[in-house]
Amino acid sequence: MSQLKVLRDYIETQISSVSPDIGPVYPRHVYVTTEAQFKSLCKHRDFLRVWMFTREATPATPGEGNLYEREHRIVIRGYYAVQDDRDSELDIQDHVDLIVEALEADAYLGGKVKLVTPVTVQDITHVRFGGVLCHRAQLVLAAKEWRSRVGTTA
């Protein structure tokens, strides 16, 4: 199993576990083309609430001998429909803090990677998603793995 898969599984589990109201969590971007898909994939208890994450970059750095490092840059985005009567802004703010705490609780992120930097809350803003005005939170983390080049000599 690739270390990226281990990392994806861990992140998905951690985000899903922070609250029963977190909504669906996907280890990829979700692209929908119909309203039915949108409702089935992005809604939680009759309102839009969804989390998605993906690797956006993985630079490699040479190390000593046969070793090198890969640093996975993971971007996590959450979308919550703006609903003042349900305190949606407070919900997303609280869930962001719970997600950060959950991910930073294990510096090795459940596998053979190491969290390089604290999880960064890059922004919390408003966007339209699926035609719905939403709060969008964007978090970024970097995790390193060490690899060995096979068949090379030091």
Side-chain angles (χ1 to χ4, degrees):
M1 178 182 306
S2 79
Q3 292 309 310
L4 181 59
K5 169 112 173 75
V6 170
L7 182 57
R8 276 195 319 258
D9 291 349
Y10 181 80
I11 292 170
E12 184 176 9
T13 299
Q14 292 306 305
I15 294 172
S16 297
S17 70
V18 300
S19 169
D21 291 325
I22 201 75
V25 178
Y26 298 101
R28 59 183 172 79
H29 290 294
V30 175
Y31 297 99
V32 295
T33 57
T34 68
E35 187 174 342
Q37 284 178 318
F38 182 72
K39 287 180 179 178
S40 72
L41 294 173
C42 301
K43 289 206 171 182
H44 174 72
R45 296 187 183 158
D46 294 328
F47 49 93
L48 190 150
R49 182 170 287 197
V50 64
W51 290 87
M52 304 173 216
F53 64 93
T54 191
R55 170 180 61 178
E56 290 200 345
T58 304
T61 305
E64 302 271 335
N66 291 342
L67 298 177
Y68 66 99
E69 297 174 345
R70 289 202 180 274
E71 185 173 308
H72 302 286
R73 181 176 185 267
I74 308 293
V75 177
I76 303 165
R77 292 180 182 96
Y79 299 88
Y80 287 22
V82 172
Q83 294 179 303
D84 282 340
D85 60 329
R86 293 186 182 206
D87 292 330
S88 57
E89 182 175 355
L90 299 178
D91 283 350
I92 199 166
Q93 294 280 359
D94 291 345
H95 288 162
V96 163
D97 287 346
L98 291 171
I99 290 168
V100 169
E101 289 172 12
L103 291 173
E104 290 181 345
D106 177 4
Y108 288 92
L109 301 178
K112 296 181 179 177
V113 296
K114 180 168 177 50
L115 190 62
V116 177
T117 60
V119 177
T120 299
V121 179
Q122 197 165 43
D123 68 18
I124 300 176
T125 189
H126 293 94
V127 298
R128 286 218 171 263
F129 180 69
V132 177
L133 181 61
C134 292
H135 308 283
R136 186 205 61 206
Q138 183 164 293
L139 293 72
V140 178
L141 67 87
K144 275 189 186 177
E145 68 172 300
W146 292 267
R147 290 196 176 185
S148 176
R149 290 180 279 243
V150 178
T152 61
T153 57

